Amino acid sequence: MWGRFLIFTLLLQLPVGVTGQVKDTVRISMQEVFSEVDKTHPSLRFYQSKIAAVHSLVEGAKAWMPPMAILSLDRFSYRFSMMKEKTPDNQAGIMLSVQQMIPNAAKLNAKRDYLVSLENVQRNDWEWQKNVLHFAAKLYYYRRYIAEKKLNIIREYRELLQLLLKTAKEKYTYNQADLPTIFKAEASQGELNNMEAMLLSQANEGNIGLNTLMNHDVNTTFSIDTLLVLKDYSIGYLQDLDSSGLLRNDILAVDSRIRSMKFSRIWVATSSKPDFGIQVSHGQMFGMPNQFSVMGMITIPVVPWSSKMYKSEVSSMGFEIEAMQMEKATMQLMVRQMIREKIVMLLYEKKQLDGYDNTVLPAYHRNFETSLVAYRQNTGSFFVLLDAWNMLLMKELERMDKLGQVFTIQSEYEYQKEIK
């Protein structure tokens, strides 16, 4: 009965949290972390403001230049005495003119199309920034999860060691246990305390990272899910090996920039189209009847000394578009490589994790159980039992390290695939 009780204690998972955490703290799931990050993180609000700024620009895309009012003294003679004469020679007057340039409609439409395309660029950047922040949140969440799981194991094994050590000391009085091994067991207790301090540091680091991402006070306490399940991406393995059509939001942002550059080039090309203008003038004459004039204006942008400017700019933008297309192709190539690497790494790491669960840990459990039974029956030594306890503890912690690696690679795979 005593041996079964110890084994039960060994396998029992006891709850433990970060230092300072109370039992009634709020539990926050990973999806709730994502939602809070999306609502409060300054970098995402930055892109929201940028999108609003583009909206404001679009609203004024078809605005005209303001009219111009001109007040002038026209045809005044240097002989100011003539101003009093009512003769045809006295052509002096005060001229009031109003001038309005009328932009070419094609130019306004091209400008508006260009500004509208900028919104897609900002929106793609916004979505990609979400992916970056979610990736960081996953890493912090998993770091804290693994640290707390290891703390559970350490607490469990400390209680088990205390029971074994108490039994060994009782047997020592009957010369059934050796003193050096008892000292070694006591040293192991100190090592567990050091490991616990290190793990508490890691758990608090994850807590601080999550609070920072959620824009909370770094000392805010909360609990996380105590059971996280690995996702099975092996079904999409073959599709991932042929992901030539993959488009993530960072790649879509480049695509949107290419589209914006094309719209910008169309806008610049409309510089070859003329603009129009009209000017209405009224002359308040001193020596003759009042006069008015109406003038129409048109720009001539196709003249050689003017057309060089927009033609060279259109040509330059064409080369910029080609460069951006090559950048997009390079990014797609690198993404396909990273996705292939991550899915292969994930599959093999999960095989190793399955090896711990199906082979390694059961064997070490049987080794400990056998050593425990032999020690109870006085046919085994405390040294062998302590060694079995230590090896089982190390393999339990190694298994948690492997689980953490699998979670990390899974997060990297989801980052590359932009699975939020």
Side-chain angles (χ1 to χ4, degrees):
M1 287 295 293
W2 183 62
R4 294 176 60 186
F5 171 76
L6 288 179
I7 295 172
F8 175 79
T9 305
L10 176 69
L11 300 176
L12 185 64
Q13 295 293 324
L14 297 177
V16 64
V18 181
T19 301
Q21 180 176 314
V22 294
K23 294 182 179 180
D24 58 349
T25 53
V26 177
R27 183 182 300 277
I28 300 181
S29 67
M30 190 175 293
Q31 289 300 323
E32 289 172 332
V33 171
F34 294 160
S35 299
E36 192 68 16
V37 169
D38 292 346
K39 288 189 298 183
T40 62
H41 201 276
S43 65
L44 297 179
R45 298 172 67 181
F46 163 81
Y47 285 108
Q48 291 173 344
S49 298
K50 295 285 283 186
I51 292 172
V54 172
H55 276 301
S56 298
L57 287 175
V58 171
E59 291 177 0
K62 291 192 173 184
W64 291 10
M65 292 294 292
M68 183 165 43
I70 306 170
L71 180 65
S72 63
L73 303 178
D74 190 45
R75 297 196 178 192
F76 272 65
S77 173
Y78 286 103
R79 292 173 54 196
F80 288 100
S81 60
M82 289 183 61
M83 294 176 58
K84 299 179 180 180
E85 299 176 3
K86 298 293 184 179
T87 64
D89 292 333
N90 182 8
Q91 298 181 12
I94 298 177
M95 190 67 65
L96 175 63
S97 303
V98 177
Q99 178 179 309
Q100 175 66 62
M101 293 302 297
I102 304 173
N104 193 296
K107 291 184 178 181
L108 296 179
N109 291 332
K111 179 182 178 182
R112 186 182 186 280
D113 291 341
Y114 165 68
L115 293 176
V116 169
S117 69
L118 293 178
E119 180 179 347
N120 288 332
V121 176
Q122 299 298 333
R123 195 170 295 280
N124 292 140
D125 287 339
W126 179 40
E127 291 294 335
W128 179 247
Q129 184 63 20
K130 280 185 183 180
N131 186 49
V132 173
L133 294 174
H134 288 194
F135 174 60
K138 289 175 186 177
L139 294 183
Y140 282 124
Y141 203 93
Y142 291 138
R143 182 179 302 175
R144 177 174 167 181
Y145 175 81
I146 295 299
E148 292 188 359
K149 286 296 183 182
K150 284 185 175 181
L151 285 169
N152 289 339
I153 294 174
I154 294 235
R155 172 180 289 185
E156 169 189 326
Y157 275 76
R158 179 192 289 115
E159 292 183 359
L160 177 60
L161 180 60
Q162 289 172 350
L163 291 174
L164 296 178
L165 187 57
K166 180 180 179 181
T167 305
K169 289 180 179 180
E170 291 176 353
K171 285 194 172 188
Y172 176 72
T173 59
Y174 301 101
N175 294 322
Q176 295 177 346
D178 56 310
L179 191 59
T181 307
I182 292 176
F183 291 153
K184 183 179 178 181
E186 291 177 343
S188 296
Q189 286 184 316
E191 292 176 357
L192 289 179
N193 293 335
N194 290 338
M195 292 175 64
E196 184 179 45
M198 179 188 67
L199 292 171
L200 285 171
S201 173
Q202 293 177 6
N204 277 291
E205 181 183 354
N207 192 70
I208 292 171
L210 290 172
N211 277 323
T212 302
L213 288 173
M214 292 187 292
N215 203 17
H216 293 172
D217 184 271
V218 294
N219 296 318
T220 302
T221 58
F222 60 91
S223 60
I224 62 175
D225 288 341
T226 57
L227 180 61
L228 296 178
V229 180
L230 291 170
K231 299 176 183 177
D232 184 10
Y233 289 114
S234 59
I235 298 177
Y237 174 69
L238 295 177
Q239 291 86 335
D240 289 330
L241 293 181
D242 184 21
S243 55
S244 56
L246 176 68
L247 285 178
R248 304 185 316 196
N249 268 295
D250 60 335
I251 300 177
L252 289 175
V254 177
D255 201 42
S256 296
R257 289 186 175 89
I258 293 173
R259 192 178 301 109
S260 294
M261 184 67 75
K262 290 179 178 179
F263 280 121
S264 180
R265 184 173 62 171
I266 293 173
W267 180 23
V268 173
T270 59
S271 298
S272 63
K273 298 181 181 296
D275 290 321
F276 306 93
I278 185 172
Q279 178 174 309
V280 179
S281 302
H282 167 75
Q284 189 71 32
M285 312 307 294
F286 293 155
M288 54 190 303
N290 294 339
Q291 300 177 357
F292 76 92
S293 66
V294 178
M295 291 187 294
M297 294 169 283
I298 183 172
T299 60
I300 309 175
V302 294
V303 294
W305 57 85
S306 176
S307 61
K308 289 181 180 179
M309 179 178 64
Y310 62 81
K311 285 182 179 179
S312 62
E313 192 170 352
V314 168
S315 177
S316 174
M317 287 182 174
F319 291 116
E320 289 285 347
I321 290 172
E322 289 182 10
M324 294 170 73
Q325 287 172 337
M326 294 302 101
E327 179 188 3
K328 175 186 172 182
T330 302
M331 292 177 66
Q332 288 179 314
L333 185 64
M334 295 302 296
V335 167
R336 286 196 295 271
Q337 175 189 348
M338 294 302 297
I339 288 178
R340 292 175 184 179
E341 289 179 357
K342 296 305 177 184
I343 188 64
V344 170
M345 290 175 62
L346 182 59
L347 293 177
Y348 280 103
E349 290 289 334
K350 289 186 71 174
K351 284 184 179 180
Q352 294 180 50
L353 182 63
D354 291 339
Y356 274 97
D357 293 336
N358 300 328
T359 306
V360 177
L361 282 179
Y364 277 98
H365 272 290
R366 288 193 295 270
N367 177 57
F368 174 76
E369 292 170 12
T370 303
S371 301
L372 181 60
V373 171
Y375 183 64
R376 288 187 60 222
Q377 295 176 350
N378 296 324
T379 58
S381 68
F382 184 53
F383 178 85
V384 174
L385 178 59
L386 183 63
D387 182 68
W389 170 89
N390 184 67
M391 291 301 298
L392 182 57
L393 170 62
M394 291 300 104
K395 295 306 173 182
E396 290 274 12
L397 295 177
E398 283 181 15
R399 191 264 179 191
M400 293 308 303
D401 286 332
K402 183 58 64 176
L403 178 61
Q405 291 176 12
V406 174
F407 274 132
T408 298
I409 297 174
Q410 176 180 283
S411 301
E412 292 172 349
Y413 173 75
E414 292 171 343
Y415 170 79
Q416 296 296 336
K417 290 279 287 183
E418 200 175 354
I419 301 174
K420 301 174 185 177

